[in-house]
Amino acid sequence: MFVIVKKIRSTQKLVPLVSTLTRQQRCKFSSLPELTKDRYPNVKRGNYGHIDTNHLIFFKDLLGETRVITDESECLGYNTDWIKANRGYSRCVLKPKCTREVAAILKFCNENVLAVCPQGGNTGLVGGSVPVFDEIVLSTSLMNKIVSLDTTSGVLTCEAGCILENLENHLDEHQLMMPLDLGAKGSCQIGGNVSTNAGGLRLLRYGNLQGTVLGLEAVTANGEIIDCLSSLKKDNTGFHLKHLFIGSEGSLGVVTKVSIQCPPKPKAVNLAFLGLQSFDKILTVFKRCKHDLGEIMSSCEAIDADSLAVTTDHLGLKSPLAKFPFYMVIETNGSDNGHDEEKLSRFLEDVMGDGTVEDGVATNEPSKMKAIWELRERITEGLIHDGYVFKYDLSLPLENFYSLVGIMKERVGADAVRVSGYGHVGDGNVHLNVAVKEFSPEVLHKIEPFIYEYTSKLNGSISAEHGIGFRKTKYMHYSKSKEAMDLMRNIKDMMDPKWILNPYKVLPQ
Ligand SMILES: Cc1cc2nc3c(=O)[nH]c(=O)nc-3n(C[C@H](O)[C@H](O)[C@H](O)COP(=O)(O)OP(=O)(O)OC[C@H]3O[C@@H](n4cnc5c(N)ncnc54)[C@H](O)[C@@H]3O)c2cc1C
């Protein structure tokens, strides 16, 4: 049955889907992963200095006592990543409030060969945001000021530690919105988003950060401040240095400020949630969506039954549809609700009329849209309740988008609690998850490197949007040529000759 629920014009804010629990609370509520150094014994600590009293005196003189955290239990949340897959043992967390302080910290660390792990909201999913050993954590969470907002051009300039959802709320008052949106918006920071080149739910419509970030300010390993904080849409003067920092995951510098192009907030938002019998039918719907919804389509997501089940079974969410093998979430953003709703209704009548879609609901009522989005956005959270999750974030040709799920089910067999797939089908980006009761090297070997070889053979990418972080460094060659990797290494050598910035991450050791 297809229901267009009551029309409401304004859209209400979605609640933060990654709760704003403190880092300490988050760790308290679930068991700790084993230390990364024990889980991955082949990775050896680099020849970096060890923090001593003199170093701490310098940091406390610079930042004051309260912004230098050394207490073991207070450091725990900064050492442990969101999905409880990686844990370092740093005993020094620094919380600068401005670019000048970041520059002074990095200059000092460089001179003393102290390794540094930049950290934003710590929602990264590839182990990039936490230390591997005892690296100093440089947290940007106190660098959270909005510098300016030009409401005519839509250019927002802010510090790196601003939480994505706070920026969204600020823009909302001016009828603007952030060009990116992800389930982690309640905790992730814009500096982290830029450093991972985060994708998210509406990349299909608003593009990726390489396009929307107009400029940035960053501090390099030796403490030099690189001011590329342009707010111009067009600026072809020399190399586009901002791209060195977008997506380099804190390995080339610490992003301290960002200026970003923000689109107008849509006056009309509509959402459909559909049930389908096969993945092929998802592809049919996506293709028709592009033609029939055209310029108003803002999101096209696919979810399989096992992925949806973690939100209903573990998190107690309610699905508005009966059980189907597959589901889709399709969102439209436009400026005329009558027009958009009519377009969406016609499209849904077509795909349901010919049996491509079995059942569906559509709504523009804020609370109902929020409830549907939660079913998609909280899958990552729900999966953690299965135990340990081997998470993969791949770009694959659309016809192969879902193929790995079946292959993995066969390879891992009864060792898995669940093998599931969902993701941004509109961008060809699948999130494949193998959930097990607890971390097991045997299961890991059944999955890797096979999964990367498979992806490479199909000319896919081993990281669509989460980055390389710690966990994929040795597999980068499946997506990049030797020459490209050599060039990356040369750039790293030039910008950070002592490799103090986020060591053991991104590039293979
Ligand atoms: C529920 C959930 C849903 C998610 N959905 C998506 C999604 O749809 N799309 C997506 O792309 N990702 C998604 N992610 C992953 C994650 O949220 C993103 O990678 C996000 O951009 C990380 O931001 P952060 O502030 O938490 O960064 P962190 O996790 O703190 O850091 C990530 C990386 O960036 C580096 N870094 C952080 N801040 C800086 C800085 N100022 N300067 C230099 N380096 C820095 C860190 O060293 C690390 O390597 C999701 C995560 C969760 C938990």
Side-chain angles (χ1 to χ4, degrees):
M1 190 185 51
F2 165 46
V3 189
I4 295 230
V5 197
K6 190 159 69 87
K7 297 169 203 169
I8 292 180
R9 272 176 185 276
S10 66
T11 52
Q12 177 191 302
K13 296 248 81 43
L14 302 184
V15 289
L17 294 162
V18 170
S19 65
T20 42
L21 290 178
T22 63
R23 288 173 164 84
Q24 286 71 31
Q25 282 170 316
R26 275 194 235 153
C27 282
K28 204 171 123 195
F29 288 129
S30 54
S31 59
L32 288 174
E34 77 187 301
L35 286 170
T36 305
K37 75 172 177 60
D38 297 332
R39 183 167 286 176
Y40 300 92
N42 292 337
V43 181
K44 302 292 175 215
R45 187 183 183 282
N47 198 14
Y48 299 104
H50 292 270
I51 297 277
D52 65 25
T53 320
N54 288 332
H55 301 138
L56 290 176
I57 290 172
F58 173 84
F59 294 136
K60 286 179 182 174
D61 278 351
L62 179 72
L63 305 175
E65 289 278 336
T66 55
R67 291 195 281 132
V68 179
I69 300 172
T70 53
D71 175 73
E72 191 178 353
S73 63
E74 272 190 79
C75 289
L76 190 58
Y78 297 89
N79 275 312
T80 313
D81 68 352
W82 194 88
I83 47 164
K84 305 281 178 287
N86 289 85
R87 181 158 66 99
Y89 56 92
S90 176
R91 289 292 297 275
C92 181
V93 176
L94 304 178
K95 301 181 87 173
K97 278 188 175 165
C98 62
T99 306
R100 190 187 52 77
E101 289 178 351
V102 174
I105 291 168
L106 291 187
K107 183 169 185 295
F108 181 81
C109 289
N110 195 44
E111 283 165 2
N112 291 277
V113 201
L114 298 170
V116 177
C117 173
Q119 188 177 93
N122 195 11
T123 65
L125 298 172
V126 286
S129 54
V130 290
V132 174
F133 296 95
D134 58 347
E135 300 90 278
I136 292 170
V137 177
L138 192 160
S139 164
T140 50
S141 55
L142 299 181
M143 298 177 65
N144 53 13
K145 286 195 269 313
I146 291 175
V147 179
S148 64
L149 173 63
D150 181 333
T151 53
T152 309
S153 65
V155 177
L156 170 81
T157 303
C158 65
E159 290 182 334
C162 289
I163 289 178
L164 181 59
E165 189 171 52
N166 294 347
L167 294 176
E168 188 67 54
N169 291 342
H170 180 75
L171 290 168
D172 190 66
E173 292 166 21
H174 302 276
Q175 303 306 311
L176 294 164
M177 65 184 269
M178 288 300 280
L180 81 159
D181 184 20
L182 38 147
K185 71 180 138 211
S187 299
C188 66
Q189 301 175 3
I190 190 67
N193 300 149
V194 169
S195 303
T196 53
N197 188 24
L201 299 161
R202 299 193 179 90
L203 184 139
L204 175 72
R205 169 70 173 274
Y206 299 102
N208 70 24
L209 290 170
Q210 275 150 343
T212 52
V213 170
L214 300 178
L216 52 76
E217 176 192 81
V219 182
T220 50
N222 62 1
E224 213 159 72
I225 300 169
I226 309 293
D227 181 355
C228 291
L229 199 60
S230 167
S231 54
L232 304 171
K233 207 153 180 165
K234 299 178 84 172
D235 176 15
N236 273 353
T237 46
F239 302 158
H240 278 214
L241 295 177
K242 67 178 181 186
H243 290 298
L244 287 174
F245 301 99
I246 301 174
S248 56
E249 301 177 65
S251 63
L252 297 181
V254 174
V255 174
T256 45
K257 290 196 188 92
V258 174
S259 74
I260 187 160
Q261 178 74 59
C262 302
K265 185 183 157 196
K267 288 184 180 155
V269 179
N270 285 275
L271 194 66
F273 184 61
L274 313 175
L276 305 95
Q277 288 296 349
S278 70
F279 184 74
D280 283 348
K281 290 191 169 169
I282 288 191
L283 292 185
T284 306
V285 171
F286 172 51
K287 194 170 169 192
R288 284 166 67 174
C289 242
K290 284 200 289 181
H291 289 283
D292 296 352
L293 299 178
E295 76 292 348
I296 61 169
M297 182 162 81
S298 54
S299 207
C300 185
E301 299 284 309
I303 307 172
D304 71 4
D306 279 316
S307 300
L308 191 82
V310 298
T311 65
T312 51
D313 300 352
H314 292 322
L315 305 177
L317 303 184
K318 295 260 177 302
S319 166
L321 297 180
K323 288 199 172 157
F324 285 96
F326 293 95
Y327 303 88
M328 286 181 91
V329 180
I330 296 171
E331 189 196 67
T332 63
N333 283 186
S335 57
D336 180 336
N337 201 50
H339 164 270
D340 294 0
E341 200 184 86
E342 194 189 315
K343 232 175 164 175
L344 182 62
S345 303
R346 212 179 320 122
F347 166 73
L348 292 176
E349 274 161 26
D350 283 354
V351 288
M352 290 178 74
D354 67 13
T356 312
V357 170
E358 292 273 320
D359 198 1
V361 291
T363 180
N364 52 19
E365 188 173 326
S367 62
K368 292 201 166 79
M369 291 198 290
K370 172 178 165 276
I372 291 172
W373 266 125
E374 282 201 50
L375 291 167
R376 161 63 185 87
E377 294 188 74
R378 294 184 67 188
I379 295 171
T380 310
E381 180 190 340
L383 280 163
I384 296 178
H385 292 255
D386 276 339
Y388 180 90
V389 191
F390 294 99
K391 279 191 86 60
Y392 299 92
D393 159 47
L394 312 165
S395 271
L396 286 169
L398 281 175
E399 68 269 25
N400 300 102
F401 185 93
Y402 197 69
S403 55
L404 262 170
V405 176
I407 294 171
M408 274 303 154
K409 277 185 182 161
E410 270 182 33
R411 282 184 77 85
V412 181
D415 288 343
V417 176
R418 185 190 314 265
V419 179
S420 60
Y422 66 97
H424 314 294
V425 70
D427 308 319
N429 172 190
V430 62
H431 295 314
L432 174 86
N433 297 283
V434 180
V436 287
K437 281 208 181 77
E438 55 188 27
F439 176 84
S440 145
E442 291 75 35
V443 177
L444 179 62
H445 291 135
K446 284 187 184 176
I447 307 172
E448 299 179 13
F450 168 81
I451 192 164
Y452 298 126
E453 285 164 4
Y454 181 92
T455 303
S456 176
K457 276 189 196 135
L458 293 170
N459 295 321
S461 168
I462 66 157
S463 170
E465 60 176 10
H466 294 161
I468 295 293
F470 169 71
R471 287 210 299 282
K472 297 187 202 161
T473 51
K474 63 179 179 180
Y475 300 117
M476 179 124 73
H477 64 277
Y478 285 110
S479 283
K480 285 284 177 290
S481 67
K482 182 186 173 302
E483 293 73 21
M485 286 178 62
D486 286 347
L487 182 56
M488 285 189 217
R489 193 172 277 277
N490 290 342
I491 293 171
K492 171 77 174 170
D493 282 339
M494 193 256 300
M495 291 180 68
D496 179 15
K498 298 178 188 170
W499 284 56
I500 62 156
L501 278 173
N502 232 2
Y504 328 106
K505 318 280 173 61
V506 189
L507 290 167
Q509 268 185 310

